[in-house]
Amino acid sequence: MKHILKSYKLKASLLAAVLSVVSLQSQAPSTTKTSISILKNNTPQSRYESILMTELRDKNSNKPKFRAAAFKLGSLLVNRAVECFETKNIVIETPLTAFEGESFSGSPELVSVMRSGDALLDVFITHFPDASVSKILVQRDEETASPKFFYMKLSPTIASGQPVIITEPMLATGGTLNMVLSLLKDKGVKEKNIIIASLCAAPEGLRYLEERYPDINVVVSALDERLNEKKYIVPGLGDFGDRFFGTK
Ligand code: URA
């Protein structure tokens, strides 16, 4: 009996060890858990997001598959952004009874950091059909990785106090966003109203922004490991704009 019990215990501990490896492997290579304070409202990565991120990362995903994963992740990113909103309680009537629910306090402002930010814009407009859209073109020099300002067209209500959602799929060094944030702050937008919505971010860029803009919010689908020497996010997904728009 003792022998059977011993062998049972051994099998059980082996099974537990195997299960813990399997569960580690089934986690995404990156998580959204971190001590970075500007991610304070970012919710943990869901299983579905982990699957979609894997499709986005896969270099063998063709354009339709890449775009489909980006759109779906974009919708889930809207969900994350809404976690940063202040909402109001309202009482409505269901067909059966009165119900105390919740509603948006107003319509957010959308800011697309062209060109990649445009890839997420349609998804956000679908969820916020009333939102005004501002566009800013700041591009990083591929040689120096430094940002260069080209163009800006802001909505007249950008500093009205509503949440300002900046769509930027890849938050790498934070250099481009630093320029965008300083432009918005110059126009009177408050840090606490700003939400940066990114699919994938590097800790280096988040820390860079956190030091300069401690009151902003950032929501990301995945927080990756690091930047490489060319300032690409690792494990990352390569050049988002090229893969999404089909350019080189
Ligand atoms: N922009 C991209 O598209 N990919 C990166 O890895 C970094 C910035």
Side-chain angles (χ1 to χ4, degrees), residues 14 17 19 33 62 73 85 125 135 212 215 226 229 246:
L14 262 175
L19 279 178
K33 278 202 193 109
N62 60 13
L73 274 165
F85 285 21
I125 289 177
K135 297 239 182 175
R212 287 158 182 79
D215 291 333
R226 62 185 169 86
E229 61 291 346

Side-chain angles (χ1 to χ4, degrees), residues 116 140 170-173 227 231-234 236-242:
S116 291
R140 74 169 183 171
M170 304 297 280
L171 197 167
T173 62
L227 294 175
K231 309 297 180 199
Y232 273 83
I233 301 175
V234 180
L237 47 90
D239 190 300
F240 180 91
D242 282 350

Side-chain angles (χ1 to χ4, degrees), residues 16-66:
V18 168
L19 279 178
S20 74
V21 170
V22 169
S23 89
L24 268 180
Q25 281 175 345
S26 70
Q27 279 169 15
S30 52
T31 73
T32 49
K33 278 202 193 109
T34 169
S35 62
I36 299 171
S37 67
I38 53 177
L39 288 175
K40 54 191 171 290
N41 288 309
N42 201 41
T43 46
Q45 189 182 59
S46 67
R47 174 65 52 87
Y48 188 34
E49 283 177 307
S50 162
I51 291 166
L52 292 169
M53 272 310 296
T54 307
E55 289 178 10
L56 212 59
R57 293 180 192 284
D58 188 347
K59 67 176 186 181
N60 294 317
S61 290
N62 60 13
K63 209 176 327 120
K65 191 167 180 191
F66 187 86

Side-chain angles (χ1 to χ4, degrees), residues 105-171:
S105 302
S107 190
E109 295 279 329
L110 300 177
V111 178
S112 169
V113 182
M114 291 151 73
R115 110 189 125 129
S116 291
D118 285 357
L120 293 178
L121 202 52
D122 283 351
V123 179
F124 276 77
I125 289 177
T126 307
H127 287 267
F128 305 113
D130 268 354
S132 298
V133 176
S134 302
K135 297 239 182 175
I136 302 181
L137 178 55
V138 174
Q139 283 201 317
R140 74 169 183 171
D141 184 309
E142 292 302 328
E143 295 297 311
T144 62
S146 305
K148 207 170 158 207
F149 174 80
F150 285 91
Y151 167 85
M152 173 166 79
K153 181 84 182 173
L154 295 185
S155 124
T157 48
I158 191 82
S160 61
Q162 291 300 327
V164 176
I165 304 175
I166 304 173
T167 57
E168 167 61 296
M170 304 297 280
L171 197 167

